[in-house]
Amino acid sequence: MKDFLKDRNAHIRLGYAVSSKRVTRGCPQGSVSGPNLWNIIISDLIVVLSKTPNLEIVTFADDILLMSQSPSHSAVLTTVVNTLRIVEDCCKRHRLEISKDKTSIMPMFIRNSDIYKNRPEITSWGLKVVTKIKYLGIMLDCKMDWFPHTHYLENKLLHTRNNLARCSIASWGLSYANIVTVYKYAIIPAITYAAEAWHSSISKRAKNKLQQIQRSFLLFLTKAYRTVSLQALSAIAEIMPIDQALNLYRVIHKSLRDFRTRLRNNQDRHGRKEHINR
């Protein structure tokens, strides 16, 4: 471990020129022990933050999501400021830096966010007060109606559809079967990603946006007129409507999650019995 953390140099070669720099922090990208070393560092911060009242912590790799709930916005701001000070002290001890470009504050269910924007501590740290934020591939919004997420999916997937359109003309290019395969195994998984977290509380305008996304792909698949209804397009293409696909996806993933939980519980129970018998 000492050899892994000390006396390290980074080298870069550009043509015939070579540049070297001594590395005093961090770990090699993609290393096997890198995640474990990060867990050792971040565990201290999680232990301290877990003692903060009205604060919930969600961590995934080096992304940290902090959620605070209080009866007033002033109380929320007090919790946020104290939490930021704790995080800043931890970063200084471990010689880490907070990525301010990727750090944002999103007040929930509030019409006027000036109380957050005008807070001296928030402005001094250079943090942004936003109405939506992307976290682990999901676009979270302050109203929790999931319309920004569906709008994000539209921009992402329509770009893919336009690229496919360049490769598929009526007389040449990708066949209908190939395009259907791309739709089923690339487009549908992108739409249903983490649907069990957002589909149950989706707003009406977000549902309409999902139907518009599917309609654009079905028009591209079937080469039908734009006046054809979405129901007719689904029947012609023999593709399940997006609402039913999302419900099916949610049921399947819930069943898989329940099965894994029961299997894990049975394994733990079986392990305890073997330990007792021994």
Side-chain angles (χ1 to χ4, degrees):
M1 185 60 69
K2 185 182 295 185
D3 295 337
F4 183 77
L5 297 176
K6 290 187 176 181
D7 299 328
R8 292 189 293 134
N9 295 281
H11 307 278
I12 182 172
R13 180 185 297 274
L14 185 61
Y16 295 100
V18 179
S19 178
S20 302
K21 184 179 180 180
R22 185 175 178 81
V23 179
T24 59
R25 59 183 178 178
C27 56
Q29 184 74 20
S31 61
V32 177
S33 57
N36 293 327
L37 293 174
W38 171 252
N39 290 336
I40 294 173
I41 294 176
I42 202 65
S43 60
D44 295 337
L45 176 61
I46 294 175
V47 170
V48 176
L49 291 178
S50 61
K51 300 177 182 179
T52 304
N54 302 322
L55 185 70
E56 186 173 349
I57 311 164
V58 179
T59 60
F60 183 85
D62 59 344
D63 290 329
I64 304 176
L65 177 65
L66 303 175
M67 296 177 288
S68 176
Q69 181 179 1
S70 296
S72 64
H73 290 289
S74 59
V76 172
L77 277 169
T78 301
T79 302
V80 169
V81 171
N82 294 335
T83 302
L84 288 174
R85 288 172 179 168
I86 294 173
V87 174
E88 188 177 35
D89 293 340
C90 179
C91 291
K92 288 181 178 178
R93 289 198 307 270
H94 296 289
R95 292 191 296 173
L96 299 173
E97 293 181 2
I98 300 176
S99 179
K100 294 183 179 180
D101 294 335
K102 299 180 180 179
T103 305
S104 304
I105 298 176
M106 186 175 68
M108 302 296 294
F109 308 107
I110 183 174
R111 293 184 178 180
N112 189 3
S113 59
D114 290 341
I115 185 176
Y116 290 86
K117 294 179 181 179
N118 298 331
R119 183 82 175 198
E121 293 86 350
I122 303 299
T123 56
S124 62
W125 272 312
L127 302 180
K128 298 173 291 184
V129 179
V130 298
T131 58
K132 57 184 179 181
I133 185 172
K134 186 179 179 182
Y135 183 71
L136 301 181
I138 301 296
M139 192 67 69
L140 305 174
D141 63 281
C142 61
K143 297 180 180 179
M144 295 299 288
D145 68 347
W146 302 106
F147 180 76
H149 178 64
T150 56
H151 184 69
Y152 161 75
L153 288 176
E154 181 184 39
N155 295 333
K156 175 182 177 181
L157 297 178
L158 291 189
H159 179 71
T160 303
R161 187 208 63 180
N162 295 335
N163 289 336
L164 287 174
R166 298 187 184 97
C167 304
S168 176
I169 309 298
S171 59
W172 61 273
L174 293 174
S175 64
Y176 173 81
N178 291 333
I179 299 175
V180 171
T181 301
V182 172
Y183 177 80
K184 289 183 177 179
Y185 296 101
I187 305 303
I188 287 295
I191 296 176
T192 58
Y193 171 71
E196 63 270 24
W198 55 266
H199 180 248
S200 59
S201 58
I202 194 172
S203 63
K204 184 177 180 180
R205 62 173 185 164
K207 288 182 180 180
N208 294 336
K209 182 65 69 176
L210 289 175
Q211 291 176 355
Q212 291 174 9
I213 296 172
Q214 186 182 40
R215 177 180 173 81
S216 66
F217 274 96
L218 294 182
L219 285 172
F220 168 63
L221 283 172
T222 60
K223 305 295 189 294
Y225 292 108
R226 293 184 178 274
T227 55
V228 180
S229 65
L230 178 59
Q231 292 79 5
L233 290 172
S234 299
I236 294 171
E238 297 182 352
I239 289 177
M240 185 182 301
I242 192 63
D243 290 341
Q244 298 180 14
L246 287 169
N247 287 328
L248 179 62
Y249 170 88
R250 187 173 57 180
V251 170
I252 291 175
H253 276 256
K254 184 179 182 303
S255 300
L256 289 174
R257 187 167 58 251
D258 294 342
F259 172 76
R260 290 167 183 162
T261 301
R262 290 195 301 268
L263 181 62
R264 191 181 303 111
N265 293 337
N266 292 334
Q267 291 176 347
D268 294 341
R269 194 180 302 111
H270 183 68
R272 285 196 297 268
K273 287 183 179 179
E274 288 186 350
H275 180 71
I276 293 174
N277 294 333
R278 290 178 183 176

